[in-house]
């Protein structure tokens, strides 16, 4: 039987966090997917959050995201936590701020791991924790002229 250290790809990478950013420009699926490429990864999970045309039974016309100056640092903290909990080979997370239209990409996260189950679990943990903990706020404007602020991603 081979010693576990003979297969380093079965473990987390030494520095798995490849891309963390908050941007006011359109996001790129290719950039995030490329950032998590790793020859030792057997599974890559990618989550894309888009602006939808409805929320809570109301028609959404547009929305805007704003953030606290600490948002990117908080994203990194969460990424480090996920990388410590799972055998992450590579991880990336990018969130958009500013005014977005229906169908625009709001957030893209990806995780690669040695196996698919780990990649799915780590990616879900990453997006769920980002949504809950990062100080990014959504200002929704509805078709009827009303609006609302939604806390965190």
């Amino acid at each position: 039987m081979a010693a576990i250290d003979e297969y380093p790809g079965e473990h987390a990478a030494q520095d798995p966090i490849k891309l963390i950013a908050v941007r006011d420009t359109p996001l790129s699926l290719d950039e995030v997917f490329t950032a998590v490429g790793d020859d030792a990864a057997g599974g890559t999970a990618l989550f894309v959050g888009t602006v939808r045309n409805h929320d809570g039974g109301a028609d959404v016309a547009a929305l805007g995201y704003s953030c606290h100056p600490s948002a990117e640092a908080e994203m990194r903290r969460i990424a480090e936590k996920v990388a410590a909990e799972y055998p992450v080979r590579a991880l990336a997370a990018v969130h958009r701020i500013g005014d977005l239209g229906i169908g625009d990409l709001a957030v893209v996260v990806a995780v690669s791991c040695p196996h698919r189950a780990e990649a799915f679990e780590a990616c879900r943990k990453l997006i769920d924790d980002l949504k809950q903990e990062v100080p990014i706020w959504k200002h929704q404007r509805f078709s009827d002229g009303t609006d609302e602020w939604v806390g965190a991603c």
Side-chain angles (χ1 to χ4, degrees):
M1 178 174 252
I4 198 161
D5 289 339
E6 288 184 43
Y7 301 102
E10 289 295 315
H11 309 291
Q14 200 163 32
D15 185 15
I17 300 170
K18 306 302 182 186
L19 173 63
I20 299 290
V22 174
R23 296 190 176 147
D24 61 1
T25 56
L27 306 183
S28 165
L29 293 175
D30 288 339
E31 177 190 25
V32 174
F33 184 69
T34 299
V36 298
D38 187 289
D39 289 344
T44 299
L46 178 79
F47 174 80
V48 179
T50 56
V51 177
R52 62 180 179 265
N53 66 359
H54 67 280
D55 189 34
D59 292 331
V60 173
L63 60 78
Y65 284 99
S66 59
C67 69
H68 187 273
S70 68
E72 201 167 286
E74 285 299 301
M75 288 174 67
R76 180 166 293 282
R77 180 188 62 78
I78 291 165
E80 289 169 353
K81 186 173 74 169
V82 170
E85 291 179 31
Y86 297 90
V88 173
R89 300 298 307 167
L91 178 151
V94 184
H95 202 295
R96 178 96 184 264
I97 57 170
D99 291 330
L100 284 76
I102 305 304
D104 284 348
L105 305 182
V107 61
V108 181
V109 301
V111 178
S112 61
C113 292
H115 304 282
R116 72 177 176 273
E118 300 157 342
F120 279 126
E121 291 170 20
C123 190
R124 180 165 191 138
K125 175 77 170 158
L126 178 61
I127 189 60
D128 287 351
D129 287 0
L130 288 177
K131 189 167 176 70
Q132 195 165 21
E133 299 178 35
V134 176
I136 295 176
W137 305 281
K138 177 170 59 174
H139 183 208
Q140 296 189 116
R141 294 180 292 282
F142 299 102
S143 297
D144 66 4
T146 62
D147 66 336
E148 75 174 348
W149 284 91
V150 180
C153 298

